[in-house]
Amino acid sequence: MTDKRRVVMDAAGIERSLTRIAHEILEKNRGVEDLVLVGIRTRGVFLAQRLKKKISAIEGKEIPLGILDITLYRDDLATRQEKPQLGKTDIPFSLQNKKVVLVDDVLFTGRTIRAAMDALIDFGRPRMIQLAVLVDRGHRELPIRADFVGENLPSALWEDISVHLMEKDGEDCVIIEVGKEKHPGGNP
Amino acid sequence: MITALTRKDILGTKELSVEEIELVLQTAESFIEVSTREIKKVPTLRGKLVINLFFEASTRTRTSFEIAGKRLGADTINIAASTSSVVKGETLIDTARNLEAMNPDVIVIRHSAAGAPHLLAKRLKASIINAGDGAHEHPTQALLDLMTMKEKKGRIAGLKVAIVGDIAHSRVARSNVYALKKMGAQVVVAGPATMLPRDFGQIMGIPVYSQMEEAIKDADVIMMLRIQLEREKQSIFPSLREYAQRFCLTESKVRLAKEDVLIMHPGPMNRGIEISPEVADGPYSVILDQVTNGVAIRMALLYLLAGGARDV
């Protein structure tokens, strides 16, 4: 418990998790028909791209991939002091009657996913929305759960869990560290 | 790279920093997509109130602000001076204070007096956006012009931009010169001597021509200004016909500019006076792109001013 920073998932672990999730998505949806992936900015997009590659390698068919920025749908915009940078949303296909798999890196309070679902529904009426995450760290504040989970990592609220991906961070790993501000006993 | 505007108001491009302009342009690019959706509305400014207070005629700018507010989920109210208590003799400050009592988050104002938005900005808690004050500034027009140039040319720095027409009475010209110079463009202006303010070139630090041909030579962008027909009586030009002969952008004049020149006009156009119909509707014209981008720029500004928490 004295570790301030520990790696809980390495590159091979991430790779294995994504391979399993790709198979699970195909199993649950019985193939790729009407299946689309939507990655949530920023790291959800990279995970969705990797899943897309794996799915096409398994099934030999390409599936559409969209990019979603949820900033405009956040429920904390009016109260947050720090404003997030608005990114581009790019969903160049209809979601009408599609089976949408939302992809994000960490599932935490569930508020991001709530915002993402509101955004998706503004693009049409999908037949269903499923959720794939690399890490589920618990502490839900909304009745939301993931359909596909890479790793369940029960964590304390004062811990920070961060997913590092090659595309953005130059390495593949998941790290738990003691947060700077949230520790009940002050900064350790 | 900054991610937020710390200022309360947008009064002019003169006081905006390069970083602020870049943030507005980048944010606006993200908003383009919202207007292409089937459901062109996001809930970002739900429960916020935007008042459009227009003391001068406007279709484009007022509609653009109204659409921008609505697409962000804000409530937007339009007040035209002709139907307001202004005609009963109420002063600007009294009108504004009464509006403030209804707790708006943003007031967009157009007024014939330069400095009117600045007065409100000082006195009111709401964010003020200048939608044109006299012959002073029209910052949202300049920002949408920059956005259109960046979209079409991929950059602003190094572009030669020629602004032609009634420079003296043009808030569009002023706001564009300030913003373009900051972003590294090479700006030149041209117009009849009666429409060029004395020392304009010296004060702004740009070349000024009385021959249009010299200004538009090798230009990447030609921005034509509207001749304010209501000013013909002020004898700043002898006749519309003479003006058109010298300063109308025709196809033969366009050939003096670069091959891939962009033709811009802030609207409303006087076809056949400052711009020929063939040019206005021609392949180089991006006049309607300017209008489309205008909504995105105004969405970006409303979002950046009203979208987050206000420092208490």
Side-chain angles (χ1 to χ4, degrees), chain A residues 8 15 28-30 47 49 51 54 56 58 63-64 68 72 85 104-105 109 114 118 144 151 153 156 158 172 175 186:
Chain A
V8 285
E15 174 69 16
K28 183 173 169 116
N29 293 288
R30 293 163 198 205
L47 293 173
Q49 285 163 346
L51 284 173
K54 288 185 183 294
S56 90
I58 300 164
I63 58 171
L68 186 64
L72 298 171
Q85 173 75 46
D104 203 3
D105 55 352
T109 62
R114 195 280 312 160
D118 276 358
I144 280 169
E151 189 86 44
L153 289 175
W158 59 83
D172 273 353
I175 291 165

Side-chain angles (χ1 to χ4, degrees), chain B residues 222-258:
Chain B
I222 303 176
M223 192 183 292
M224 298 307 295
L225 301 174
R226 181 176 75 93
I227 273 297
Q228 305 182 21
L229 297 172
E230 58 272 23
R231 298 191 193 277
E232 198 185 359
K233 294 180 212 85
Q234 299 172 1
S235 68
I236 53 173
F237 53 102
S239 77
L240 281 179
R241 226 183 98 196
E242 189 188 329
Y243 182 84
Q245 267 168 11
R246 289 183 58 205
F247 289 98
C248 183
L249 185 62
T250 56
E251 281 184 318
S252 62
K253 288 204 187 98
V254 168
R255 270 179 228 123
L256 297 171
K258 287 222 180 96

Side-chain angles (χ1 to χ4, degrees), chain A residues 61-78:
Chain A
K61 286 179 194 151
E62 291 296 324
I63 58 171
L65 169 66
I67 295 172
L68 186 64
D69 183 282
I70 57 114
T71 309
L72 298 171
Y73 291 83
R74 295 180 77 106
D75 61 5
D76 59 354
L77 263 184

Side-chain angles (χ1 to χ4, degrees), chain B residues 50-219:
Chain B
V50 179
I51 295 181
N52 288 327
L53 181 57
F54 277 64
F55 292 90
E56 273 186 12
S58 166
T59 326
R60 225 169 322 271
T61 307
R62 189 187 54 68
T63 315
S64 184
F65 267 111
E66 187 177 356
I67 290 171
K70 290 200 156 124
R71 291 206 175 142
L72 286 171
D75 296 308
T76 59
I77 304 287
N78 296 314
I79 300 169
S82 54
T83 59
S84 73
S85 291
V86 176
V87 293
K88 298 180 183 170
E90 193 173 51
T91 66
L92 173 62
I93 283 289
D94 280 335
T95 302
R97 275 192 176 147
N98 277 278
L99 293 177
E100 173 130 295
M102 301 179 212
N103 213 5
D105 297 280
V106 180
I107 296 177
V108 178
I109 177 177
R110 168 170 290 188
H111 199 284
S112 56
H118 306 66
L119 184 65
L120 296 197
K122 249 184 253 165
R123 302 288 284 269
L124 304 184
K125 289 196 295 288
S127 288
I128 308 294
I129 301 180
N130 181 359
D133 61 329
H136 180 223
E137 279 235 39
H138 190 353
T140 61
Q141 178 70 43
L143 290 166
L144 74 89
D145 290 338
L146 264 66
M147 179 180 180
T148 308
M149 292 178 211
K150 196 177 157 210
E151 178 190 76
K152 304 288 174 191
K153 295 283 180 195
R155 70 196 164 104
I156 294 167
L159 293 180
K160 179 181 174 182
V161 183
I163 305 177
V164 180
D166 185 356
I167 306 293
H169 296 103
S170 178
R171 51 197 176 207
V172 175
R174 261 170 207 77
S175 288
N176 260 299
V177 173
Y178 289 132
L180 285 166
K181 280 201 67 182
K182 254 174 229 182
M183 303 307 285
Q186 181 204 349
V187 192
V188 302
V189 300
T194 49
M195 294 182 185
L196 291 168
R198 203 179 306 153
D199 303 331
F200 187 78
Q202 217 173 351
I203 292 164
M204 294 295 210
I206 53 171
V208 175
Y209 300 101
S210 55
Q211 294 294 327
M212 175 180 181
E213 289 77 2
E214 292 176 77
I216 63 176
K217 191 171 178 298
D218 296 324

Side-chain angles (χ1 to χ4, degrees), chain B residues 273-304:
Chain B
I273 298 177
E274 71 260 5
I275 189 163
S276 76
E278 299 79 48
V279 174
D281 305 326
Y284 309 112
S285 168
V286 292
I287 294 171
L288 294 177
D289 300 85
Q290 290 175 270
V291 179
T292 303
N293 288 340
V295 174
I297 282 288
R298 288 164 183 130
M299 285 174 87
L301 289 173
L302 290 175
Y303 165 72
L304 290 167

